[in-house]
Amino acid sequence: MTRPTSRQEVLKRLKSSINNGKIIVGAGAGIGLTAKSIEQGGGDLIIIYNSGRYRMAGRGSLAGMMPYGDANAVVLEMANEILPIVSHTPVLAGVCGTDPFRSMPSFLTHLKSLGFAGIQNFPTVGLIDGTFRQNLEETGMSYAQEVSMIRTAHDLDLLTTPYVFTPDEAEQMANAGADVLVAHMGLTTSGSIGAATALTLDDCVKRVQEIRDVAERVNGEIIVLCHGGPIAKPEDAEYVLRRTKGVQGFFGASSMERLPVEKAVTETTRAFKGSTSSIISILVYKGASPILLSSLILEPQHSILTQSYDSRLRLDTRRPHNGDGFGVGYYTPPSLGPSPCIFTSTIPAWNCINLERLATKTTSSLIFAHVRATTEGSLSDSNCHPFSNGRLMWMHNGNVGCWNHVKRSVALDVDARWFNGVQGNTDSEWAFALFLDSLQRAGCDPDSLGEDGDGGFGHKVLREAVLTTIRRINAFIKAIPEEMRDDEDTRSLLNFAVTDGQSVICTRYVSSATDEAASLYFSSGTSWKEEGKGRFKMERRDKGADIVLVASEPLTFERGNLPSPRYMDLCLNEGHHLYPGPGVADSVGHTDNWVTVPTNSVLTVHKQTVMIHPIIDEYYNHSPSYLRSSGFAVSKGLVSSGPGATAPPAKAGAVGPATGGLTPVVGEVQPIPNADGQGKELRERLDAVQKRAAHIKV
């Protein structure tokens, strides 16, 4: 396919795309590499103008409006760099139509002879307002001259794609023969040199629609695109396009060139420096009685706060700190309502005086805590966990594979109210939106606050909604064509935690049959006791479980004494749950171990009982002795091994009521050694249980 240079051929392509249900994407290029990348990405139009050159030199786009150079001469220089390397995408020139030192008909004819397929009016006085704009209009440097230039270009059979800022300007340009109108919403926000002052997306929806309606009345065939202001990311454009009628696409300049380059170079540099490798720690407390927040998040020697700067189990040690924000969510007395209280901050957790003030004076019987190191999304309060909706709280440790491709699919697939509820730009919050949508599709209203003592949504409903969320994420990734994946890793690490204030659901999951998931542990007992300054211990005075803790990394490192395999007796009860047989609870009761949740399992805490179910899909392995690689978790800086025993990776596993919520301890992930023949005996018994449970679907 050759690069079109005629107006008719370009319009034919654009209208064919529109008729096939595709949006039109135009993009500004300041350098040849950007133009080449836009073409490889499938852009419909490439526009070059002086601001592109300034942008890629690290200056703001408005530099193109200043007297730093001859705008039209800069475009001619850029033509030598860009036109030869673009093979099949139409290239347009940004032309300063008020240039008093050029004959526009001659200059436009010259541009056409160079191989430009069309033009755009930039620099444009449309970006200027107030007295200065009025003076420009009065002294012969007016927007009307840009309209005249578009009319001349149309007569020369050049494609015309002018910027318009008001419905009146849209009408003028449409009457002048413009083929494509770009509704300009102002200087693009975001990034290191973006504007801070802009319209809201809802303002843009209204203004773009007004511009389109006026233009369509003049010419029913005219194409209208949106551009600028807060429309800085694909989801922003999607927001506007879904709420307007007859707007066929998006034109990006800073959003298509500067912002992606800033992000890519920054993140790649961090990757080489090791700064994108991160351990994100989560902590869940569910107790029969309230506990002081500081007893969990501040005072233990290896509290979640300490983990933010001193991770004992960090396998990737290239990044010493998790200082990209933290959050605490907790439920208050019923008289204050069922919604959780959320406190988040981008200040490093160890340096936030407000966290200390809050934690030392607040108690709760259900607490979520999270420390963050950015992998997706910017550093802002809106990106800090936990996320909440109504009575629900949500946290995530890990990442969604191929997120740059999956994000749009998620946004398009969820209900509008969950789409609109996303405040940040992390994969974790979008996963929460997907969970809320899954809960809604199951017949529940995620906004419902319920009544006091109503038991929430129920642990089975929450668990199924989480599993549905995982299935949908996997389906989105599988739907990505191979040629679009750009060697991105398709594996997802999905350690989710969600609660409705009654039940807690936690997953430890990786979308791989050979890799270990990010770490997850739990501990249960009757009291969380401080034996000395900073030295806490989970005590177990009986078979009950008044306290359940779930964490990415244990808060204590006491190993205790594992029961000998000769005392283990795993049984399958009528509910198809694995539980320890006679004698196990007593032998386990005196240990102080954190139990490892098996990879690709879901842990449920309901009425202080812990249940573990396998997540049975193509990535599940039925063999209890199967070894997974920790390499993927290591590459992400997520811990994958540590002290404590491993709950049985059963076909369908949970503890029986006799254990008071304690999952049986059966040794490490590796095969149990043959100690006096007992290891072999236990393994045979586990295998037998697996076979009996093989027909069970959770």
Side-chain angles (χ1 to χ4, degrees), residues 56 103 129 168 197 216 269 313 350 425 448 535 579 654 656 671:
M56 298 310 290
S103 165
D129 56 15
D168 179 62
T197 304
E216 195 270 341
T269 304
L313 302 185
W350 63 84
N425 54 359
S448 173
R535 293 189 296 107
Y579 67 94

Side-chain angles (χ1 to χ4, degrees), residues 151-442:
R151 183 177 291 108
T152 301
H154 177 77
D155 293 341
L156 291 171
D157 204 32
L158 284 163
L159 185 79
T160 51
T161 64
Y163 282 133
V164 296
F165 302 83
T166 66
D168 179 62
E169 291 170 354
E171 183 176 14
Q172 293 178 52
M173 287 297 189
N175 281 319
D179 301 299
V180 179
L181 288 188
V182 181
H184 201 309
M185 299 294 104
L187 188 65
T188 302
T189 60
S190 299
S192 62
I193 54 175
T197 304
L199 300 171
T200 66
L201 283 173
D202 288 328
D203 291 335
C204 292
V205 169
K206 181 180 179 181
R207 184 174 295 187
V208 170
Q209 189 65 61
E210 290 173 349
I211 287 172
R212 180 266 171 189
D213 292 344
V214 168
E216 195 270 341
R217 286 196 291 269
V218 176
N219 176 9
E221 297 297 316
I222 202 166
I223 298 170
V224 178
L225 311 179
C226 59
H227 166 78
I231 315 174
K233 301 183 292 293
E235 57 267 29
D236 300 330
E238 190 70 42
Y239 185 94
V240 174
L241 294 176
R242 289 181 64 177
R243 288 161 177 76
T244 52
K245 180 180 179 182
V247 180
Q248 289 95 352
F250 170 73
F251 172 77
S254 292
S255 55
M256 295 290 285
E257 182 175 41
R258 171 177 62 81
L259 293 177
V261 168
E262 285 187 29
K263 180 178 180 181
V265 173
T266 300
E267 292 186 353
T268 300
T269 304
R270 284 177 176 168
F272 278 109
K273 291 289 289 183
S275 61
T276 58
S277 292
S278 61
I279 171 174
I280 302 171
S281 295
I282 63 174
L283 172 67
V284 175
Y285 167 88
K286 188 173 188 299
S289 302
I291 191 172
L292 201 63
L293 268 62
S294 59
S295 298
L296 294 172
I297 62 178
L298 297 181
E299 295 169 7
Q301 288 180 343
H302 199 61
S303 68
I304 191 170
L305 182 148
T306 304
Q307 293 172 29
S308 66
Y309 61 84
D310 179 23
S311 172
R312 300 279 187 89
L313 302 185
R314 188 190 307 278
L315 298 179
D316 185 338
T317 58
R318 294 173 295 174
R319 184 175 189 176
H321 299 148
N322 287 348
D324 295 334
F326 69 91
V328 179
Y330 54 92
Y331 289 86
T332 54
S335 60
L336 299 178
S339 298
C341 178
I342 307 289
F343 174 72
T344 61
S345 176
T346 57
I347 299 173
W350 63 84
N351 200 34
C352 182
I353 187 64
N354 288 329
L355 175 62
E356 182 177 351
R357 291 167 176 165
L358 176 76
T360 55
K361 298 296 182 181
T362 304
T363 62
S364 178
S365 58
L366 208 171
I367 301 165
F368 273 22
H370 186 281
V371 292
R372 178 173 184 251
T374 57
T375 55
E376 292 289 345
S378 58
L379 182 60
S380 67
D381 281 332
S382 60
N383 286 332
C384 292
H385 310 221
F387 303 106
S388 67
N389 183 86
R391 68 192 301 166
L392 295 162
M393 269 200 301
W394 172 275
M395 298 188 294
H396 174 211
N397 179 15
N399 69 286
V400 175
C402 280
W403 178 239
N404 289 333
H405 296 294
V406 170
K407 186 175 184 178
R408 183 178 181 188
S409 299
V410 174
L412 291 173
D413 203 47
V414 300
D415 187 83
R417 61 172 166 162
W418 315 129
F419 177 95
N420 294 331
V422 175
Q423 301 297 311
N425 54 359
T426 65
D427 53 355
S428 301
E429 189 178 8
W430 279 105
F432 184 36
L434 197 61
F435 166 80
L436 296 173
D437 189 75
S438 298
L439 195 59
Q440 177 180 295
R441 294 186 184 190

Side-chain angles (χ1 to χ4, degrees), residues 404-554:
N404 289 333
H405 296 294
V406 170
K407 186 175 184 178
R408 183 178 181 188
S409 299
V410 174
L412 291 173
D413 203 47
V414 300
D415 187 83
R417 61 172 166 162
W418 315 129
F419 177 95
N420 294 331
V422 175
Q423 301 297 311
N425 54 359
T426 65
D427 53 355
S428 301
E429 189 178 8
W430 279 105
F432 184 36
L434 197 61
F435 166 80
L436 296 173
D437 189 75
S438 298
L439 195 59
Q440 177 180 295
R441 294 186 184 190
C444 300
D445 180 7
D447 287 335
S448 173
L449 295 178
E451 303 293 336
D452 289 343
D454 67 353
F457 294 99
H459 65 95
K460 294 181 180 179
V461 172
L462 291 180
R463 183 168 61 240
E464 183 56 35
V466 172
L467 296 178
T468 300
T469 301
I470 292 174
R471 287 193 290 266
R472 291 171 73 181
I473 290 172
N474 288 341
F476 291 139
I477 294 173
K478 289 179 182 177
I480 303 170
E482 288 288 341
E483 62 273 13
M484 290 181 60
R485 294 185 181 181
D486 300 326
D487 296 325
E488 287 190 54
D489 203 321
T490 60
R491 293 171 293 180
S492 299
L493 290 165
L494 305 179
N495 282 20
F496 295 139
V498 65
T499 181
D500 60 357
Q502 301 292 328
S503 303
V504 176
I505 308 295
C506 299
T507 61
R508 185 185 181 208
Y509 182 86
V510 59
S511 57
S512 167
T514 59
D515 294 295
E516 195 77 37
S519 60
L520 192 68
Y521 302 85
F522 82 93
S523 182
S524 62
T526 51
S527 65
W528 179 243
K529 184 179 179 181
E530 186 174 15
E531 296 187 321
K533 185 173 177 59
R535 293 189 296 107
F536 284 76
K537 181 179 180 180
M538 181 70 76
E539 283 197 338
R540 189 173 187 81
R541 294 187 295 270
D542 52 43
K543 297 178 182 180
D546 296 331
I547 294 174
V548 178
L549 293 174
V550 184
S552 300
E553 189 168 337

